[in-house]
Amino acid sequence: ALITLILALSLGLTLGQTKIKSTFFSRCEKFKEYDCQKLWDAFQQAYVNKDPCKVPVEAYDPLIAAAPFKHQCNKTMFWSKTKDVVHGLTAKRNDCFVTLEDTLLGSVLDNLTWCGKEGSNDTFTTGCPGWSECVNNPVRSFWNRSSAAFADVACGNVTAMLNGSINTPFNPTSIFASVEVPRFIASRVKNLNVVMVIQKNNISNCTDPSLKNLRQSIDTGITFSCKDVSESRIQECGSKPEIACGACW
Ligand code: C8R
């Protein structure tokens, strides 16, 4: 019985590891100009053989350096609690908007969970710390690090989609508020255009007090705007390529 258990556990581990590695490679290979093996090695060194609660954001510096983000002036799209709406749009309108998930690193690691363990060179996909279990966990540190790098290259007209169906659309604890917004500097970012996604049962909009905090926290010199836009209007922009990017809402 013990042998069976050991076999089952090691098979489970091998499968989990094979699966994340193959997902990483198959997603990576869609981006032709990168060496996926080199990126996988840079990715692994961030967390392998480490306590999964002791992976700081800097652990991903070599990975970011190996796949730097390109400037996408006037197309950068940020979001907070609107992931599905945003990606529903960018999947069809990458001529207008680019999110972190449309870049190599963001797309390769989207919706994945991973961690290492002290004394092992393996990648685990189960039993990893949850988002809030400890701050320095491998997944959270990755999104913090890559979001910072993505915000660093934003320029020109920048858009952010926030959620009008929650109490605090601009939440200080979000990555958008705590990592990205503080990195917008007026010499690069000209306008921050917030699109407030309005669904049938919305409870907030551009008049929400949290938006005043956003307006006040951005660098002076960056022009701020906020527009309430229905979810259906955003979907329409996605389904009609003839709508000009600037006329989506
Ligand atoms: N960003 C952050 N988190 C991301 C992400 C991303 O691009 N992509 C994924 N899959 N995730 P939220 P937020 C996962 O609370 O905190 C960038 C992470 O596992 O709705 O404000 C992006 O550029 C994490 O648990 O939003 C965007 O502008 C949640 O999604 C902000 O940061 C975070 O989703 C969004 O971060």
Side-chain angles (χ1 to χ4, degrees):
L2 186 61
I3 293 187
T4 316
L5 180 68
I6 291 170
L7 279 176
L9 285 175
S10 56
L11 181 66
L13 166 66
T14 312
L15 287 177
Q17 186 162 250
T18 311
K19 183 143 195 307
I20 189 168
K21 193 173 176 184
S22 67
T23 304
F24 188 104
F25 275 80
S26 66
R27 291 178 179 180
C28 179
E29 277 152 11
K30 296 204 170 76
F31 295 77
K32 302 271 179 267
E33 65 272 42
Y34 295 89
D35 178 344
C36 296
Q37 183 63 48
K38 201 178 112 196
L39 294 176
W40 171 255
D41 293 340
F43 169 61
Q44 277 204 308
Q45 67 74 39
Y47 60 86
V48 144
N49 212 338
K50 287 184 191 169
D51 178 331
C53 278
K54 291 183 181 160
V55 176
V57 286
E58 304 81 50
Y60 290 99
D61 288 353
L63 177 63
I64 301 289
F69 297 111
K70 295 185 198 79
H71 290 262
Q72 295 270 17
C73 288
N74 308 321
K75 286 170 77 171
T76 314
M77 171 70 89
F78 297 92
W79 51 269
S80 192
K81 308 286 180 294
T82 51
K83 193 177 189 233
D84 294 344
V85 188
V86 170
H87 292 145
L89 174 66
T90 55
K92 295 173 184 156
R93 295 305 302 265
N94 61 9
D95 56 323
C96 302
F97 307 106
V98 173
T99 64
L100 179 50
E101 287 69 31
D102 300 305
T103 69
L104 176 124
L105 289 180
S107 86
V108 160
L109 294 166
D110 194 19
N111 296 321
L112 300 183
T113 301
W114 64 90
C115 62
K117 203 184 267 184
E118 268 184 302
S120 159
N121 285 322
D122 295 324
T123 296
F124 300 84
T125 53
T126 54
C128 297
W131 186 260
S132 304
E133 222 168 300
C134 46
V135 175
N136 286 330
N137 70 67
V139 175
R140 185 165 176 164
S141 289
F142 168 76
W143 288 113
N144 275 308
R145 183 64 189 90
S146 58
S147 301
F150 188 61
D152 279 338
V153 300
C155 43
N157 257 315
V158 161
T159 309
M161 279 202 184
L162 302 183
N163 191 335
S165 300
I166 57 177
N167 267 311
T168 313
F170 180 66
N171 192 322
T173 65
S174 66
I175 293 184
F176 176 63
S178 65
V179 176
E180 295 176 327
V181 170
R183 302 178 95 97
F184 298 162
I185 53 168
S187 57
R188 267 199 327 269
V189 175
K190 293 300 156 215
N191 311 288
L192 173 60
N193 304 315
V194 169
V195 171
M196 190 65 80
V197 182
I198 304 297
Q199 294 169 305
K200 298 175 290 299
N201 300 313
N202 70 303
I203 51 174
S204 52
N205 56 34
C206 286
T207 66
D208 188 82
S210 72
L211 270 291
K212 202 171 279 170
N213 298 339
L214 171 55
R215 187 188 287 264
Q216 285 165 358
S217 69
I218 55 172
D219 199 355
T220 51
I222 300 178
T223 312
F224 178 85
S225 74
C226 182
K227 192 165 183 182
D228 295 319
V229 183
S230 68
E231 188 179 6
S232 57
R233 175 68 202 167
I234 295 167
Q235 285 161 349
E236 192 181 1
C237 169
S239 58
K240 294 185 180 162
E242 64 274 17
I243 300 180
C245 297
C248 272
W249 38 75

